[in-house]
């Protein structure tokens, strides 16, 4: 079953997820001032006294809000006594360390983290583990030595291949392209970019496509907008941009939509349907992709529960049940894959509400 909140009204049990997501967003906004902090509050006890804390890359990111909506729902259903969200306001490499340390001090049973840098969080995560915490990485992996499992939204290579295919289709198979990414340290974006570069080099279908620049908007809306503007100035022959981050693609679409490049320079990547809808409808963007972010948080909570209950250790072949999303198996490298990405375009975008 998908956690997709399709507007057609299927999946009634999940109808409340939108509300949960909105609640998480509000809680995060409320705690957003003053350089980050705790957010999300605590959920009512659902048995036991186990605590789970989610540490996203950053709090002020609409994608994060959807992920955490699913996380909160999963934490309650999995039976955690409390769940909370803490984290930095910007996604810099070491910005999560103090939050991890505070969870270690608090005796939190499960820390779920989207690492801003695979190594910068390692010492702190190691200390949390020594104190008894289980570590679930999600969205953006920590160094595998520092966590128990990684809940990966998609097979990394698949999401890279979709983006190269979409850009190739949109620029007619030839011309200059650029990548506008999140932070330069982000584990997830860097892995996708590595696969994209390999594919561009090795697939004969892409022999006439030239990657001329990689720039980083740091998952900051203003910086991403400026980087998009800068790309167009520096590369007047640019035919397309891939932005494998929801923040980057939305900011780039906003820039292109009011520029002379609208409809001429292609833009694809990973975006939230709700943010991208106006740009698909006004012709700035033809097609882009994403998975259902709520599923990521939801499955991470169940994986955390299975770990802290000693039902799994994160070894390949370990199985656990992720509520209504069913059974999941831990793969090689401690990976749990959430599901395939969906491609959104003018035909289907109105069916999705996240
Ligand atoms: C941004 C973040 C996140 C990534 C999505 C696609 O919101 O960088 O980590 O998974 O984009």
């Amino acid at each position: 079953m998908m956690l997709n909140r399709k507007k057609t009204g299927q999946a009634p049990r999940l109808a409340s997820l939108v509300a949960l997501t909105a609640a998480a967003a509000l809680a995060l906004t409320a705690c957003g001032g003053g350089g980050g902090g705790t957010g999300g509050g605590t959920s009512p006890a659902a048995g036991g006294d186990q605590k789970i804390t989610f540490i996203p890359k950053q709090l002020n990111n609409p994608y994060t809000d959807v992920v955490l909506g699913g996380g909160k729902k999963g934490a309650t259903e999995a039976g955690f006594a409390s769940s909370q969200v803490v984290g930095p306001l910007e996604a810099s490499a070491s910005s999560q360390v103090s939050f991890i340390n505070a969870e270690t001090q608090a005796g939190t049973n499960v820390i779920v983290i989207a690492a801003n840098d695979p190594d910068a969080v390692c010492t702190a995560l190691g200390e949390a583990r020594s104190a008894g915490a289980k570590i679930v990485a999600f969205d953006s992996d920590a160094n595998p030595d520092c966590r128990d499992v990684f809940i990966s939204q998609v097979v990394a290579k698949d999401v890279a291949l979709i983006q190269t295919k979409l850009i190739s289709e949109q620029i007619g198979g030839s011309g200059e392209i650029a990548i506008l990414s999140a932070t330069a340290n982000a584990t997830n974006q860097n892995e996708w970019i590595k696969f994209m570069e390999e594919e561009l080099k090795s697939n004969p279908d892409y022999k006439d496509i030239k990657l001329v620049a990689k720039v980083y908007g740091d998952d900051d809306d203003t910086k991403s907008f400026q980087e998009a503007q800068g790309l167009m100035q520096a590369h007047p022959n640019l035919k397309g941009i891939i932005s494998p981050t929801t923040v980057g693609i939305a900011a780039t679409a906003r820039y292109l939509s009011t520029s002379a490049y609208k409809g001429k320079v292609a833009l694809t990547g990973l975006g939230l349907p709700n943010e991208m809808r106006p740009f698909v409808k006004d012709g700035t963007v033809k097609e882009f992709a994403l998975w259902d972010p709520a599923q990521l948080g939801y499955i991470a909570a169940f994986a955390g529960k299975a770990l802290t209950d000693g039902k799994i250790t994160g070894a390949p072949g370990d199985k656990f049940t992720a509520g209504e999303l069913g059974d999941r198996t831990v793969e090689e490298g401690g990976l749990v894959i959430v599901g395939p990405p969906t491609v959104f375009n003018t035909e289907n975008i109105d069916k999705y509400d996240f």
Side-chain angles (χ1 to χ4, degrees), residues 111-200:
I111 297 174
V112 183
I113 184 164
N116 282 325
D117 179 292
D119 299 312
V121 290
C122 261
T123 306
L125 290 179
E127 285 165 10
R129 285 172 114 182
S130 303
K134 298 297 178 191
I135 310 297
V136 177
F138 73 157
D139 184 48
S140 183
D141 204 2
N143 183 322
D145 294 342
C146 320
R147 47 77 170 156
D148 295 291
V149 290
F150 172 48
I151 314 299
S152 182
Q153 45 275 56
V154 275
V155 176
K157 192 164 181 181
D158 289 353
V159 81
L161 297 192
I162 275 207
Q163 292 173 86
T164 45
K165 179 172 171 281
L166 289 176
I167 201 72
S168 173
E169 286 168 3
Q170 292 175 23
I171 66 169
S174 79
E176 294 184 359
I177 62 163
I179 293 176
L180 191 156
S181 189
T183 62
N185 305 307
T187 330
N188 51 347
Q189 272 90 10
N190 284 347
E191 193 177 17
W192 303 329
I193 291 171
K194 181 190 81 186
F195 285 127
M196 286 189 226
E197 291 185 297
E198 282 173 14
E199 181 70 3
L200 289 171

Side-chain angles (χ1 to χ4, degrees), residues 185-266:
N185 305 307
T187 330
N188 51 347
Q189 272 90 10
N190 284 347
E191 193 177 17
W192 303 329
I193 291 171
K194 181 190 81 186
F195 285 127
M196 286 189 226
E197 291 185 297
E198 282 173 14
E199 181 70 3
L200 289 171
K201 274 196 201 119
S202 63
N203 187 332
D205 290 350
Y206 303 148
K207 65 179 184 341
D208 297 327
I209 299 178
K210 192 169 173 218
L211 177 64
V212 293
K214 280 185 281 178
V215 296
Y216 300 89
D218 293 345
D219 272 352
D220 174 275
D221 177 73
T222 308
K223 178 148 195 285
S224 303
F225 187 95
Q226 288 163 352
E227 291 292 344
Q229 207 168 12
L231 272 179
M232 295 315 308
Q233 279 158 11
H235 302 280
N237 296 324
L238 205 61
K239 285 186 72 183
I241 300 173
I242 299 177
S243 186
T245 148
T246 60
V247 179
I249 195 173
T252 304
R254 207 170 72 248
Y255 168 67
L256 291 178
S257 68
T258 59
S259 77
Y261 309 111
K262 178 179 164 188
K264 297 194 180 106
V265 172

